[in-house]
Amino acid sequence: MTTAPAATGTAIGMSGLTVRFTTRRSQTTALDDVSLDIEPGEFVTIVGPSGCGKSTLLKIVAGLVKPTSGDVSLLERPVRGPQKEIGFVFQKAALLEWRGARANILLQAEMRGMDRAQAARRADELIEMTGLTGFEKALPHELSGGMQQRVALCRALLHSPPVLLMDEPFGALDALTREQMNAELHRIWRETGTTVVLVTHSIAEAVFLGTRVVVMSPRPGRIIRTFPVELPAHRDYAQVMSDPRFDRLATDLRGLLGSAAANH
Amino acid sequence: MTENSLDTAGRQAAADEASGAQAAAPTPGAPHAVDGRSPSTVVKAPPDGARPPRRTLGRRAVTFADSLWRPALVLAVFFAAWWFVAAREYVPNYLVPTPGQVWETMTTQWSELARHTLVTLYETVLGFVLAAALGLVTAVAIAYSRTLDKALYPIVLFAQVIPKIAIAPLLVVWFGLGLTPKIILAVLIAFFPVVISGVAGLRSTDPELLDLAATMGAGPWRTFRKIRFPNALPHLMAGLKVAVTLAVVGAVVGEFVGASEGLGYVLLLANGNLDAPLLFADLILMSAIGIVLFVLVEIAEALLIPWHASRRAGVSLTTS
Ligand SMILES: Nc1ncnc2c1ncn2[C@@H]1O[C@H](COP(=O)(O)OP(=O)(O)OP(=O)(O)O)[C@@H](O)[C@H]1O
Ligand SMILES: [Mg+2]
């Protein structure tokens, strides 16, 4: 289903995005004039302080939130409503509590009317890959937080979407599993050529996975800077961690995030 | 500990059946159709090797008996007190008959009583089923459409606050002495809790789940079937339990106003003849209808939503 996207053009285009939420009590500017173009096959990671509008940004791209002003396009088409050429991993796992892990993953196939047998095979692959074997039938409340997130990840990957939007998908994982999942995701990205936008609070994760790291300011969220990650396309976790370029970039990011928070 | 793992196993099996039936529906012959039972179950066994024992019939019976003995005890005490008061004639027998007299009436007039019970049962069940169906449709309309919400909700509420007993005579005038007015009355009384619980359930869907459905390109029907409806079931079942007990009331009230059969009719007869044993027997049968139907809805609930927190047998330490 994944067709290697054309090398030209943008996978995701955002220009001048501003979002204001008006509630009964207050008005919040979540995003302020955000512009970003993402090419097909890129892996963009977004870091920024809590509440700066990262989740909102992903939801705009998915067509789930309408920006107050500005334009978004996905795969060269303007975003006017919910988009379905994507896999979305929500910040909360958002599982159906009456379905077992495997049935939750297969929801994707059922909602899209995909071929049953093929989807089932793919689901089993993903379950194995994410280490959920043995928990196929476990209901969400019987799974740990990290396992729930892995189920959500499998669900987002089931249909091999050309664009993957991930909102802190590994937030609830322990460090070791997180590294493994990072390596897995890196491999999937390399093999499929999927365009990925991933929001994270972990600088290491942002650098290891990204081809570009976008740093956002505290609310109202703006893009302060984007860093290209000068690491080989094919990465190995241990190697990257000991790479001096990794250290330098991580230090820069930490400094920038720290000063942004301090200036606020 | 054993109790716990036992319950988990039972619940899980039930959950699998439910989700398998309504959702994944594994195609026979597909590779995964088998994996649930055989190979992966072995892997799944906890490391200590203790495979959770299956829920046998015997164990089920034990659980059932365990849930029954407390109310049975209370009932026994009540019966003893009743018997004591009536047998000693602290209250004259034409007001409170002895359990023996009631039993005698019940057995000697059984064929008659059974016929009337069936009539009331029929009215109640039909009324309940219609109320459930109409209530659900109304709830969906209200939950999905702002316009219908504004149009229907006040009417539903208005219909609820009219004392149903007051319109019973009107229904008899309109529809005669047959079963129709009783069924309509049962529907009218049982309708409201279904609507209220249905609307509450359908509205309680996590918006994130609806967002998720949207990114999956699913239309409203699929979203309803796979997400909103199952999500509403716990609420809805609670409403149905209330509704089923109210449906009995509706049917009996309908019979009070004008009927030639049914337990409500028998009650009026017994009252007129000062036949206290018959009156008591009749009351017992009415309650029996309510209890049996309630239990049936409970069973349906246990089968439909074994996954819900309210049905999890796991012992929680917070009881408040
Ligand atoms: N539906 C909404 N209604 C009102 N305000 C909202 C809504 N969604 C988000 N906000 C506000 O917009 C701002 C950005 O929220 P968002 O969830 O995008 O932050 P975030 O960067 O993802 O934070 P975190 O890292 O904690 O997840 C917050 O101040 C939040 O209060
Ligand atoms: Mg967020």
Side-chain angles (χ1 to χ4, degrees), chain A residues 21-73:
Chain A
F21 289 112
T22 316
T23 60
R24 218 167 300 155
R25 267 160 286 125
S26 64
Q27 206 191 42
T28 322
T29 306
L31 291 174
D32 185 19
D33 193 21
V34 170
S35 299
L36 182 68
D37 281 331
I38 298 172
E39 268 153 48
E42 259 198 289
F43 197 130
V44 173
T45 52
I46 301 179
V47 292
S50 178
C52 73
K54 304 180 297 295
S55 298
T56 307
L57 193 69
L58 287 191
K59 286 192 178 176
I60 291 175
V61 174
L64 299 172
V65 169
K66 220 167 107 54
T68 315
S69 66
D71 295 307
V72 212
S73 69

Side-chain angles (χ1 to χ4, degrees), chain B residues 111-184:
Chain B
S111 61
E112 268 299 286
L113 281 173
R115 188 173 67 79
H116 290 295
T117 307
L118 279 182
V119 170
T120 304
L121 183 66
Y122 174 79
E123 294 161 355
T124 306
V125 171
L126 205 60
F128 169 68
V129 170
L130 285 175
L134 284 176
L136 185 59
V137 170
T138 312
V140 170
I142 287 175
Y144 270 82
S145 153
R146 282 216 77 72
T147 324
L148 286 177
D149 176 15
K150 288 190 178 132
L152 289 180
Y153 217 87
I155 294 174
V156 171
L157 189 67
F158 182 66
Q160 172 62 11
V161 295
I162 302 175
K164 246 60 81 197
I165 297 163
I167 54 170
L170 192 65
L171 289 175
V172 172
V173 173
W174 284 351
F175 299 101
L177 295 176
L179 298 183
T180 319
K182 288 90 186 172
I183 293 167
I184 292 178

Side-chain angles (χ1 to χ4, degrees), chain A residues 215-253:
Chain A
V215 183
M216 292 182 66
S217 71
R219 204 179 50 237
R222 291 196 195 89
I223 294 180
I224 318 181
R225 243 177 102 179
T226 66
F227 293 87
V229 181
E230 277 139 12
L231 289 168
H234 188 155
R235 298 171 195 180
D236 172 83
Y237 207 87
Q239 261 170 26
V240 167
M241 289 305 132
S242 56
D243 194 308
R245 287 171 293 185
F246 170 85
D247 269 342
R248 228 175 299 131
L249 185 49
T251 314
D252 285 355
L253 286 171

Side-chain angles (χ1 to χ4, degrees), chain A residues 54-55 91 167-168 199:
Chain A
K54 304 180 297 295
S55 298
Q91 192 165 354
D167 197 351
E168 300 183 34
V199 168

Side-chain angles (χ1 to χ4, degrees), chain A residues 55-183:
Chain A
S55 298
T56 307
L57 193 69
L58 287 191
K59 286 192 178 176
I60 291 175
V61 174
L64 299 172
V65 169
K66 220 167 107 54
T68 315
S69 66
D71 295 307
V72 212
S73 69
L74 182 79
L75 303 170
E76 310 265 288
R77 279 190 299 275
V79 171
R80 294 246 162 68
Q83 300 293 302
K84 55 180 227 169
E85 294 88 359
I86 56 170
F88 203 118
V89 182
F90 289 88
Q91 192 165 354
K92 294 183 288 172
L95 302 177
L96 303 184
E97 54 171 326
W98 54 90
R99 285 181 173 226
R102 192 165 181 282
N104 255 299
I105 296 170
L106 284 171
L107 178 76
Q108 183 80 262
E110 290 163 32
M111 297 293 258
R112 288 175 186 271
M114 288 163 62
D115 177 69
R116 280 257 162 88
Q118 205 181 327
R121 233 173 299 127
R122 173 102 177 109
D124 290 335
E125 271 170 40
L126 289 166
I127 285 170
E128 164 134 34
M129 190 190 83
T130 51
L132 288 167
T133 313
F135 292 92
E136 288 91 345
K137 307 222 155 172
L139 296 174
H141 74 90
E142 297 162 337
L143 296 171
S144 73
M147 289 160 99
Q148 293 179 14
Q149 277 191 325
R150 278 181 272 164
V151 173
L153 176 66
C154 292
R155 184 179 60 192
L157 290 172
L158 188 75
H159 55 304
S160 313
V163 173
L164 197 53
L165 306 174
M166 310 175 87
D167 197 351
E168 300 183 34
F170 306 131
L173 295 182
D174 64 283
L176 202 64
T177 317
R178 191 167 187 157
E179 284 174 19
Q180 282 166 5
M181 295 303 299
N182 280 348

